[in-house]
């Protein structure tokens, strides 16, 4: 038996855009892909500027919390998360089976500021909602085109005998949104229940090579460079596969951020760093599946963006260089892309991100690659 993370999302640094609330109630739903007898949770205040207090953290097997348990932290049910730290709950004995859902409710009645933000777009396996009130329950809405956000709950661990193959899904918004990772998770569990786990450490706006620009508040939420932050996490997770969607922000952020403009995109240098990254992962026992860059369009309507042609040329140049490696996932050569654009039926609407249908198509191709490599 061992503690196995069965659910993980990357908390994002929102200290530049903190959320203030006089009170808070949030509900987070997760899907369980293993069976076990007890759980524990990880709460974070990694980016907070003041200690956080939660008065109740409850878990239930139903969304109405008809039968619930209150979690404790070192024996305390009302507890504080210090600035810059994370805390792990005491063991909570609750029988979990493959395919069941767990619901967590975190509540506090006093004013606080929240900086550790997590989110998903795909609400099929992970869902969340919060309201700035105490003891009023937010509704979990099932949508695929809007952000579902929550604070502080980063990980759920299960005490289990299972030894699944872990797939770390990471990168930028294409990863964080969950439209691809949740679709892959669904396919794996339908075919091989209990044998795989998909964990998600994507951050919207994240770059592969460079840290977040600091010239605007929203840019500051884009996080530490993936090439720096991911190895720290993988020391704990040790995944079989690392599925990575990254690079578009390395290419596009210098077009809109003055700070990012100091490090202009260079395809040759980028490929060299990715190959070095792949070697390091392989030496650590993980297999990289790195997606090439999907097509995008900066122009909207009749207005042409001056950098559209240049950025597409750079994308194509990069993809040609990446194509020589067998660990590259050629997403741009699937039916999702047509010439230099996302096919409309797979486009979320912003010409940068895939919708659920696009996520399912890419997940099917990733599924085939993962199974073939087994």
């Amino acid at each position: 038996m061992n503690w196995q993370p069965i659910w993980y999302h990357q908390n994002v640094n929102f200290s530049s855009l903190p959320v203030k609330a006089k009170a808070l109630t949030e509900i987070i739903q997760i899907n369980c892909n293993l069976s076990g007898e007890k759980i524990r949770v990880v709460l974070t205040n990694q980016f907070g500027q003041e200690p956080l207090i939660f008065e109740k953290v409850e878990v239930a097997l139903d969304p109405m919390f008809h039968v619930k348990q209150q979690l404790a932290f070192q024996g305390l049910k009302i507890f504080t998360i210090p600035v810059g730290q994370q805390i792990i709950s005491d063991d909570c004995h609750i029988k979990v089976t493959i395919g069941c859902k767990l619901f967590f409710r975190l509540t506090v009645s006093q004013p606080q500021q929240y900086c550790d933000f997590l989110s998903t777009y795909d609400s099929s396996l992970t869902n969340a909602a919060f309201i700035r009130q105490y003891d009023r329950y937010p509704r979990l809405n099932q949508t695929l085109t809007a952000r579902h956000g929550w604070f502080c709950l980063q990980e759920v661990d299960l005490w289990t005998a299972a030894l699944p193959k872990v797939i770390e899904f990471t990168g930028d918004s294409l990863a964080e949104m969950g439209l691809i990772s949740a679709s892959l998770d669904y396919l794996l569990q339908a075919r091989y229940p209990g044998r795989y786990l998909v964990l998600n450490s994507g951050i919207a706006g994240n770059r592969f090579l460079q840290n977040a620009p600091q010239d605007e508040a929203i840019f500051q939420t884009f996080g530490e460079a993936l090439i720096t932050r991911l190895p720290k996490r993988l020391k704990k997770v040790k995944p079989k596969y690392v599925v990575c969607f990254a690079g578009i922000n390395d290419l596009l952020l210098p077009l809109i951020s003055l700070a990012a403009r100091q490090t202009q995109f260079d395809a040759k240098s980028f490929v060299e760093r990715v190959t070095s990254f792949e070697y390091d992962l392989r030496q650590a026992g993980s297999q990289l599946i790195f997606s090439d860059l999907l097509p995008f369009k900066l122009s909207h309507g009749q207005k042409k963006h001056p950098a559209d042609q240049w950025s597409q040329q750079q994308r194509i140049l990069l993809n040609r260089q990446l194509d020589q490696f067998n660990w590259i996932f050629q997403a741009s050569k699937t039916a999702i892309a047509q010439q230099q654009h996302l096919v409309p039926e797979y486009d979320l609407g912003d010409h940068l991100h895939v919708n659920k249908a696009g996520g399912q198509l890419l997940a099917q191709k990733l599924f085939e690659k993962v199974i073939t490599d087994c």
Side-chain angles (χ1 to χ4, degrees):
M1 303 287 282
N2 66 297
W3 284 110
Q4 171 66 59
I6 57 169
W7 177 89
Y8 178 91
H9 278 253
Q10 180 69 52
N11 59 319
V12 180
N13 184 356
F14 260 64
S15 59
S16 62
L17 295 169
V19 175
K20 300 177 181 180
K22 293 182 179 180
L24 182 75
T25 301
E26 58 181 359
I27 293 177
I28 303 98
Q29 165 207 302
I30 77 165
N31 194 73
C32 302
N33 292 331
L34 300 177
S35 298
E37 300 295 327
K38 59 183 179 179
I39 65 165
R40 66 185 187 187
V41 305
V42 178
L43 300 182
T44 70
N45 189 21
Q46 182 178 347
F47 305 113
Q49 300 165 352
E50 58 188 37
L52 286 180
I53 295 174
F54 282 99
E55 294 163 25
K56 284 190 290 187
V57 178
E58 300 165 301
V59 60
L61 293 169
D62 71 279
M64 299 308 295
F65 290 81
H66 290 124
V67 179
K68 59 183 179 292
Q69 295 187 56
Q70 187 170 350
L71 300 182
F73 293 77
Q74 295 185 343
L76 301 175
K77 293 187 175 180
I78 299 178
F79 57 90
T80 299
I81 313 175
V83 171
Q85 296 187 30
Q86 66 178 33
I87 59 174
I88 302 174
S89 74
D90 301 339
D91 299 359
C92 176
H93 291 267
I94 182 171
K95 189 174 180 61
V96 172
T97 57
I98 295 175
C100 79
K101 295 186 185 300
L102 286 175
F103 298 86
F104 296 90
R105 183 168 63 202
L106 287 70
T107 55
V108 62
S109 62
Q110 67 181 43
Q112 292 190 138
Q113 178 174 279
Y114 303 90
C115 299
D116 287 30
F117 181 69
L118 307 94
S119 72
T120 184
Y121 270 63
D122 193 319
S123 59
S124 58
L125 299 179
T126 295
N127 199 358
F130 69 87
I131 55 174
R132 292 175 170 87
Q133 298 180 60
Y134 180 72
D135 276 351
R136 296 287 299 274
Y137 301 158
R139 175 181 292 183
L140 291 172
N141 295 314
Q142 296 285 338
T143 66
L144 299 167
T145 57
R147 175 174 269 181
H148 303 253
W150 69 97
F151 308 104
C152 301
L153 179 62
Q154 178 177 264
E155 179 176 323
V156 179
D157 300 334
L158 179 69
W159 185 251
T160 179
L163 295 172
K165 294 178 180 177
V166 175
I167 300 174
E168 181 78 10
F169 209 93
T170 193
D172 52 32
S173 52
L174 285 170
E176 183 193 64
M177 293 167 75
L179 295 165
I180 310 171
S181 59
S183 300
L184 176 61
D185 195 334
Y186 176 83
L187 291 172
L188 289 168
Q189 298 312 317
R191 181 82 172 269
Y192 303 104
R195 288 176 54 183
Y196 292 89
L197 278 175
V198 178
L199 306 177
N200 194 318
S201 60
I203 297 178
N206 199 222
R207 289 189 289 177
F208 185 72
L209 294 179
Q210 305 293 334
N211 294 338
Q214 300 297 301
D215 49 335
E216 290 191 26
I218 187 62
F219 297 160
Q220 293 175 38
T221 70
F222 294 170
E224 188 178 18
L226 182 64
I227 201 170
T228 304
R229 70 178 174 89
L230 190 62
K232 301 173 187 176
R233 169 160 168 73
L234 298 189
K235 288 179 181 179
K236 174 182 178 182
V237 179
K238 303 186 187 306
K240 172 66 175 175
Y241 300 99
V242 176
V243 179
C244 183
F245 283 78
I248 286 183
N249 293 313
D250 294 70
L251 176 58
L252 296 185
L253 261 179
L255 302 178
I256 59 175
S257 164
L258 290 175
R261 201 170 298 169
Q262 305 304 313
T263 52
Q264 288 290 335
F265 180 80
D266 177 74
K268 183 175 182 293
S269 176
F270 187 91
V271 172
E272 289 173 352
R273 297 294 296 276
V274 176
T275 54
S276 176
F277 183 65
E278 186 276 336
Y279 175 80
D280 291 342
L281 288 181
R282 184 157 31 92
Q283 293 300 110
S286 297
Q287 180 175 333
L288 177 65
I289 301 175
F290 192 94
S291 176
D292 67 3
L293 269 58
L294 286 167
F296 53 83
K297 187 170 70 171
L298 301 177
S299 303
H300 290 269
Q302 298 300 316
K303 187 176 181 180
K304 297 294 183 180
H305 194 287
D308 235 342
Q309 184 176 357
W310 175 85
S311 58
Q312 289 292 352
Q313 290 172 344
Q314 292 298 310
R315 180 188 69 84
I316 293 169
L317 175 62
L318 173 63
N319 284 354
R320 285 175 180 167
Q321 295 185 42
L322 289 173
D323 283 351
Q324 63 185 296
F325 303 106
N326 61 7
W327 38 266
I328 290 297
F329 173 56
Q330 296 177 324
S332 68
K333 295 185 179 181
T334 65
I336 201 170
Q338 187 177 69
Q339 296 180 345
Q340 294 187 12
H341 307 292
L342 293 176
V343 173
E345 64 186 284
Y346 300 126
D347 189 339
L348 189 66
D350 60 3
H351 311 313
L352 286 170
H353 299 97
V354 300
N355 59 16
K356 182 60 174 179
Q360 291 172 326
L361 186 151
L362 293 177
Q364 180 62 51
K365 297 298 182 181
L366 285 168
F367 173 82
E368 295 166 3
K369 187 169 182 61
V370 168
I371 299 307
T372 300
D373 290 341
C374 287

